[in-house]
């Protein structure tokens, strides 16, 4: 798991109380085991070390990834703001406000297209 994914999962664990248990969660392979918390979650299947995935499971993963690609594109655009692409070193209290401002800029640009 890459450095960013570990940080994302830690952030998720700290804030999971904000997500209702009946929510549908669409996540990447870094969130294996989330089924125990959210029964309505959809996550690609990881191949076991040294083994290849069955073609049916590969197709299953492709279908999930087709749903996730739009989300990944938005993350990519948001990470053009340096504050989101690197480790956040300011007061945690203001992270939500800053993220909301960046999301607002993104939404404004999206509406102008």
């Amino acid at each position: 798991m890459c450095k960013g994914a570990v940080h994302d999962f830690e952030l998720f664990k700290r804030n999971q109380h904000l997500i209702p248990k009946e929510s549908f969660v669409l996540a990447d392979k870094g969130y294996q085991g989330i089924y125990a918390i959210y029964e309505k979650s959809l996550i690609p299947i990881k191949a076991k070390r040294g083994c290849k995935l069955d073609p049916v499971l590969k197709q299953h993963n492709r279908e999930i990834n087709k749903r996730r690609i739009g989300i990944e594109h938005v993350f990519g655009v948001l990470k053009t703001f340096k504050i989101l692409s690197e480790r956040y070193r300011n007061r945690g209290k203001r992270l939500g406000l800053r993220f909301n401002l960046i999301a607002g800029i993104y939404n404004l640009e999206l509406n102008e297209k």
Side-chain angles (χ1 to χ4, degrees), residues 21-83:
K21 297 290 182 200
E22 62 278 356
S23 296
F24 172 75
V25 177
L26 184 60
D28 63 16
K29 290 180 187 177
Y31 291 85
Q32 295 294 312
I34 201 170
Y35 291 112
I37 304 166
Y38 300 98
E39 293 177 10
K40 296 179 188 173
S41 53
L42 194 55
I43 297 149
I45 297 165
K46 251 183 171 175
K48 292 185 180 175
R49 187 176 274 184
C51 299
K52 290 185 177 183
L53 275 181
D54 183 74
V56 174
L57 296 178
K58 277 188 176 185
Q59 184 59 37
H60 172 76
N61 284 355
R62 276 191 208 101
E63 293 300 320
I64 293 171
N65 291 333
K66 283 180 190 177
R67 295 177 185 197
R68 290 186 56 250
I69 194 67
I71 298 164
E72 293 298 330
H73 285 159
V74 171
F75 287 157
V77 171
L78 293 178
K79 286 183 178 180
T80 60
F81 292 86
K82 197 171 184 179
I83 197 168

